[in-house]
Short mmCIF file of all heavy atoms in Angstrom, two decimals:
data_model
loop_
_atom_site.label_atom_id
_atom_site.label_comp_id
_atom_site.label_asym_id
_atom_site.label_seq_id
_atom_site.Cartn_x
_atom_site.Cartn_y
_atom_site.Cartn_z
N ALA A 406 -3.38 4.48 -16.25
CA ALA A 406 -4.01 3.27 -16.49
C ALA A 406 -4.10 2.98 -17.98
O ALA A 406 -4.27 3.86 -18.75
CB ALA A 406 -5.41 3.19 -15.88
N VAL A 407 -4.08 1.68 -18.35
CA VAL A 407 -4.09 1.30 -19.78
C VAL A 407 -5.03 0.06 -19.89
O VAL A 407 -4.98 -0.84 -19.16
CB VAL A 407 -2.67 0.89 -20.23
CG1 VAL A 407 -2.68 0.53 -21.69
CG2 VAL A 407 -1.64 2.05 -19.99
N ALA A 408 -5.91 0.15 -20.94
CA ALA A 408 -6.63 -1.01 -21.31
C ALA A 408 -5.81 -1.80 -22.36
O ALA A 408 -5.74 -1.44 -23.52
CB ALA A 408 -7.93 -0.52 -21.97
N LEU A 409 -5.20 -2.79 -21.82
CA LEU A 409 -4.17 -3.60 -22.71
C LEU A 409 -4.95 -4.36 -23.76
O LEU A 409 -4.48 -4.57 -24.91
CB LEU A 409 -3.42 -4.55 -21.79
CG LEU A 409 -2.42 -3.92 -20.82
CD1 LEU A 409 -1.66 -4.97 -20.06
CD2 LEU A 409 -1.40 -2.98 -21.58
N THR A 410 -6.06 -4.89 -23.45
CA THR A 410 -6.93 -5.61 -24.38
C THR A 410 -8.44 -5.20 -24.12
O THR A 410 -8.67 -4.41 -23.20
CB THR A 410 -6.81 -7.14 -24.23
OG1 THR A 410 -7.46 -7.55 -22.96
CG2 THR A 410 -5.38 -7.58 -24.22
N ASP A 411 -9.29 -5.80 -24.84
CA ASP A 411 -10.73 -5.52 -24.60
C ASP A 411 -11.23 -6.01 -23.29
O ASP A 411 -12.27 -5.66 -22.82
CB ASP A 411 -11.57 -6.09 -25.74
CG ASP A 411 -11.35 -5.34 -27.10
OD1 ASP A 411 -10.84 -4.17 -27.01
OD2 ASP A 411 -11.66 -5.96 -28.12
N TRP A 412 -10.48 -6.89 -22.65
CA TRP A 412 -10.91 -7.54 -21.37
C TRP A 412 -9.93 -7.27 -20.20
O TRP A 412 -10.24 -7.65 -19.07
CB TRP A 412 -11.10 -9.05 -21.63
CG TRP A 412 -9.86 -9.78 -22.06
CD1 TRP A 412 -9.47 -9.96 -23.24
CD2 TRP A 412 -8.79 -10.34 -21.15
NE1 TRP A 412 -8.30 -10.66 -23.35
CE2 TRP A 412 -7.86 -10.90 -22.09
CE3 TRP A 412 -8.65 -10.39 -19.75
CZ2 TRP A 412 -6.74 -11.54 -21.55
CZ3 TRP A 412 -7.55 -11.04 -19.27
CH2 TRP A 412 -6.59 -11.62 -20.16
N LEU A 413 -8.81 -6.61 -20.41
CA LEU A 413 -7.85 -6.47 -19.37
C LEU A 413 -7.45 -5.01 -19.22
O LEU A 413 -6.95 -4.35 -20.23
CB LEU A 413 -6.59 -7.28 -19.67
CG LEU A 413 -5.51 -7.19 -18.63
CD1 LEU A 413 -5.93 -7.65 -17.24
CD2 LEU A 413 -4.26 -7.98 -19.12
N ARG A 414 -7.64 -4.44 -18.01
CA ARG A 414 -7.20 -3.03 -17.70
C ARG A 414 -6.15 -3.16 -16.55
O ARG A 414 -6.35 -3.91 -15.59
CB ARG A 414 -8.37 -2.24 -17.23
CG ARG A 414 -9.51 -2.13 -18.23
CD ARG A 414 -10.65 -1.20 -17.73
NE ARG A 414 -11.51 -1.84 -16.73
CZ ARG A 414 -12.78 -2.24 -17.01
NH1 ARG A 414 -13.26 -2.18 -18.22
NH2 ARG A 414 -13.51 -2.84 -16.05
N VAL A 415 -5.07 -2.34 -16.71
CA VAL A 415 -4.08 -2.32 -15.64
C VAL A 415 -3.78 -0.87 -15.25
O VAL A 415 -4.05 0.08 -16.05
CB VAL A 415 -2.77 -2.98 -16.10
CG1 VAL A 415 -2.93 -4.45 -16.47
CG2 VAL A 415 -2.17 -2.22 -17.32
N GLY A 416 -3.26 -0.64 -14.09
CA GLY A 416 -3.00 0.68 -13.59
C GLY A 416 -1.98 0.73 -12.48
O GLY A 416 -1.74 -0.31 -11.78
N ALA A 417 -1.33 1.88 -12.32
CA ALA A 417 -0.31 2.01 -11.20
C ALA A 417 -0.39 3.56 -10.79
O ALA A 417 -0.82 4.39 -11.54
CB ALA A 417 1.09 1.78 -11.72
N ALA A 418 0.04 3.74 -9.58
CA ALA A 418 -0.06 5.05 -8.97
C ALA A 418 1.03 5.29 -7.92
O ALA A 418 1.52 4.32 -7.31
CB ALA A 418 -1.43 5.25 -8.37
N LEU A 419 1.33 6.51 -7.69
CA LEU A 419 2.21 6.96 -6.61
C LEU A 419 1.32 7.55 -5.51
O LEU A 419 0.35 8.23 -5.78
CB LEU A 419 3.18 8.06 -7.06
CG LEU A 419 4.04 8.77 -6.03
CD1 LEU A 419 5.07 7.76 -5.51
CD2 LEU A 419 4.66 9.99 -6.54
N ASN A 420 1.62 7.21 -4.24
CA ASN A 420 0.95 7.77 -3.13
C ASN A 420 1.85 8.64 -2.33
O ASN A 420 2.78 8.13 -1.74
CB ASN A 420 0.38 6.67 -2.22
CG ASN A 420 -0.82 5.89 -2.87
OD1 ASN A 420 -0.52 4.90 -3.49
ND2 ASN A 420 -1.99 6.39 -2.78
N ALA A 421 1.69 9.98 -2.40
CA ALA A 421 2.38 10.93 -1.61
C ALA A 421 1.52 11.33 -0.46
O ALA A 421 0.43 11.85 -0.64
CB ALA A 421 2.78 12.18 -2.42
N GLU A 422 1.95 11.05 0.78
CA GLU A 422 1.07 11.30 1.96
C GLU A 422 1.71 12.21 2.95
O GLU A 422 2.80 11.99 3.45
CB GLU A 422 0.80 9.93 2.58
CG GLU A 422 -0.38 9.97 3.50
CD GLU A 422 -0.88 8.60 3.74
OE1 GLU A 422 -1.58 8.01 2.91
OE2 GLU A 422 -0.65 8.03 4.83
N TYR A 423 0.96 13.31 3.31
CA TYR A 423 1.39 14.21 4.34
C TYR A 423 0.69 13.96 5.64
O TYR A 423 -0.54 13.70 5.57
CB TYR A 423 1.06 15.65 3.87
CG TYR A 423 1.36 16.69 4.97
CD1 TYR A 423 2.65 17.10 5.34
CD2 TYR A 423 0.24 17.26 5.63
CE1 TYR A 423 2.87 17.98 6.34
CE2 TYR A 423 0.58 18.24 6.64
CZ TYR A 423 1.87 18.53 6.99
OH TYR A 423 2.09 19.46 7.93
N THR A 424 1.35 13.94 6.66
CA THR A 424 0.74 13.66 7.99
C THR A 424 1.10 14.77 9.00
O THR A 424 2.25 15.18 9.09
CB THR A 424 1.32 12.35 8.60
OG1 THR A 424 1.06 11.27 7.71
CG2 THR A 424 0.71 12.04 9.98
N ASP A 425 0.09 15.22 9.62
CA ASP A 425 0.24 16.27 10.74
C ASP A 425 -0.56 15.86 11.87
O ASP A 425 -1.70 15.49 11.83
CB ASP A 425 -0.32 17.64 10.17
CG ASP A 425 -0.02 18.75 11.15
OD1 ASP A 425 1.09 19.36 11.17
OD2 ASP A 425 -0.94 19.07 12.00
N ALA A 426 0.15 15.81 13.10
CA ALA A 426 -0.43 15.30 14.27
C ALA A 426 -0.10 16.13 15.44
O ALA A 426 0.99 16.68 15.55
CB ALA A 426 -0.11 13.82 14.50
N SER A 427 -1.03 16.06 16.44
CA SER A 427 -0.78 16.68 17.78
C SER A 427 -1.48 15.90 18.83
O SER A 427 -2.55 15.32 18.56
CB SER A 427 -1.20 18.18 17.80
OG SER A 427 -2.58 18.34 17.62
N LEU A 428 -0.92 15.85 19.95
CA LEU A 428 -1.49 15.13 21.03
C LEU A 428 -1.05 15.64 22.34
O LEU A 428 -0.09 16.27 22.52
CB LEU A 428 -1.22 13.59 21.01
CG LEU A 428 0.19 13.20 21.23
CD1 LEU A 428 0.58 12.87 22.69
CD2 LEU A 428 0.44 11.87 20.41
N SER A 429 -1.86 15.33 23.43
CA SER A 429 -1.51 15.67 24.82
C SER A 429 -2.02 14.62 25.73
O SER A 429 -2.97 13.87 25.44
CB SER A 429 -2.05 17.08 25.17
OG SER A 429 -3.39 17.06 25.20
N ASN A 430 -1.36 14.47 26.86
CA ASN A 430 -1.85 13.65 27.86
C ASN A 430 -1.23 14.03 29.25
O ASN A 430 -0.23 14.83 29.27
CB ASN A 430 -1.52 12.15 27.66
CG ASN A 430 -0.11 11.80 27.52
OD1 ASN A 430 0.40 11.92 26.42
ND2 ASN A 430 0.54 11.42 28.58
N ALA A 431 -1.81 13.66 30.32
CA ALA A 431 -1.32 14.03 31.66
C ALA A 431 -0.14 13.17 32.14
O ALA A 431 0.10 12.02 31.64
CB ALA A 431 -2.45 13.88 32.69
N LEU A 432 0.67 13.75 33.00
CA LEU A 432 1.76 12.98 33.61
C LEU A 432 1.55 12.96 35.19
O LEU A 432 1.31 14.06 35.70
CB LEU A 432 3.12 13.67 33.28
CG LEU A 432 3.67 13.50 31.84
CD1 LEU A 432 4.86 14.26 31.63
CD2 LEU A 432 3.90 12.03 31.52
#
Side-chain angles (χ1 to χ4, degrees):
V407 182
L409 294 178
T410 71
D411 291 340
W412 58 270
L413 178 62
R414 301 184 283 253
V415 300
L419 173 71
N420 291 93
E422 195 161 286
Y423 174 73
T424 302
D425 185 87
S427 63
L428 66 88
S429 63
N430 59 273
L432 289 172

